[in-house]
Amino acid sequence: MTVNFDTVSPSLGIRDNAFGDPVGKAIPDWKGCQRLPDVELTGRTCRLAPYDETYAHGLFEAYAQDEGHMWSYLPYGPFDSPHSVNVSIQKHQNNRDFHTFVILKDEQPVGHASFMRYDLANGSVEIGGVTYSPALQRSTAATEAMYLMMKHAFSHGYRRYEWKCNQLNMPSSLAALRLGFSFEGVFRNHQVAREGRRDTAWYSVIVEEWPQVRARLESWLSPENFSVDGRQKKALRDIPIG
């Protein structure tokens, strides 16, 4: 297989080394990244707070409004008590290094999401465990929460921001594309999830793309894009990147 470098974006900065071989763009003085700070992230329609067990009761009540559909592709849930919510989140934080934030809408816990799979040496992190209650689904806050977490990562020097989901989870795949992620491929037989085969679709936003992705999301989230009753004037899908 050969690579046609005529089709490679100039932003990749491909150059020749001393032997005439093409190599990647130089990144001088790269020292890697630090784990993202545990701070509140505040937007116009939502607030994200680092998880602690005081949020478990509110999350349980929010998730109890779902009839079960929201758990089809998640590795946990449904929950039968606030205690089980807390045990699940703490287990993932302790055993799988999840870094979890609670999403609050009108100051009520309505979901949570986690930074995970930190690769500090290479400046990469994944957004995962995205758990949206019915009160958060298909809302402006749902999009703004993802924007705030993405902005948090890139503002702290990260170079790659990942999204992965079950290939059969079409809503998650469409959400990634809507937010500006690029599809990278499928890892076949990647996991056994809920006693079944999981092929995993990979998506990413990289640092070279972030300025355009950010401008598009901020344009959609702008108050000028919403009527007084909160209806969007222009859909995010209708706003081009760049």
Side-chain angles (χ1 to χ4, degrees):
M1 176 180 176
T2 59
V3 177
N4 179 6
F5 288 102
D6 293 333
T7 66
V8 174
S9 170
S11 67
L12 295 180
I14 292 174
R15 58 207 164 87
D16 289 344
N17 67 8
F19 305 100
D21 296 322
V23 295
K25 178 176 70 175
I27 307 174
D29 304 319
W30 173 251
K31 295 181 174 62
C33 289
Q34 300 296 315
R35 185 178 172 89
L36 289 164
D38 239 6
V39 296
E40 289 194 353
L41 309 175
T42 302
R44 184 175 64 85
T45 64
C46 66
R47 179 170 65 90
L48 278 66
Y51 176 78
D52 69 56
E53 63 183 306
T54 62
Y55 291 111
H57 182 79
L59 289 174
F60 172 70
E61 290 191 335
Y63 297 154
Q65 303 307 307
D66 178 79
E67 79 290 349
H69 176 73
M70 64 179 282
W71 308 108
S72 294
Y73 299 106
L74 288 168
Y76 46 77
F79 300 114
D80 59 11
S81 67
H83 175 72
S84 65
V85 173
N86 183 57
V87 167
S88 176
I89 293 176
Q90 296 286 14
K91 176 182 176 181
H92 281 85
Q93 295 209 130
N94 294 336
N95 297 341
R96 296 185 61 188
D97 200 27
F98 277 36
H99 183 182
T100 302
F101 286 75
V102 175
I103 302 164
L104 298 110
K105 181 182 174 187
D106 299 323
E107 290 305 307
Q108 298 300 311
V110 290
H112 70 278
S114 305
F115 295 119
M116 56 185 285
R117 301 188 191 281
Y118 276 104
D119 182 350
L120 299 178
N122 293 299
S124 175
V125 69
E126 178 182 344
I127 177 66
V130 179
T131 309
Y132 281 5
S133 73
L136 182 58
Q137 295 166 12
R138 294 178 293 279
S139 69
T140 304
T143 298
E144 186 168 39
M146 292 296 95
Y147 158 75
L148 290 171
M149 294 188 77
M150 201 184 312
K151 179 182 175 183
H152 191 47
F154 283 115
S155 68
H156 285 84
Y158 279 76
R159 300 183 42 70
R160 174 178 170 83
Y161 193 76
E162 297 179 340
W163 178 295
K164 302 187 186 80
C165 64
N166 190 314
Q167 187 187 20
L168 300 176
N169 186 353
M170 191 55 61
S172 185
S173 288
L174 292 175
L177 295 172
R178 176 178 173 273
L179 288 165
F181 286 78
S182 296
F183 174 65
E184 295 187 325
V186 175
F187 276 27
R188 299 177 299 165
N189 275 355
H190 182 220
Q191 294 176 344
V192 176
R194 293 194 182 270
E195 301 181 353
R197 165 179 167 164
R198 168 172 154 154
D199 298 341
T200 300
W202 287 52
Y203 299 84
S204 73
V205 175
I206 59 175
V207 67
E208 290 85 355
E209 300 164 342
W210 171 235
Q212 292 76 31
V213 171
R214 175 178 179 171
R216 174 175 174 263
L217 289 169
E218 290 179 348
S219 175
W220 183 80
L221 288 166
S222 170
E224 287 74 27
N225 188 44
F226 293 85
S227 63
V228 292
D229 62 356
R231 295 175 182 266
Q232 65 178 0
K233 297 177 182 178
K234 182 180 289 188
L236 183 54
R237 65 176 176 273
D238 296 328
I239 301 176
I241 296 177

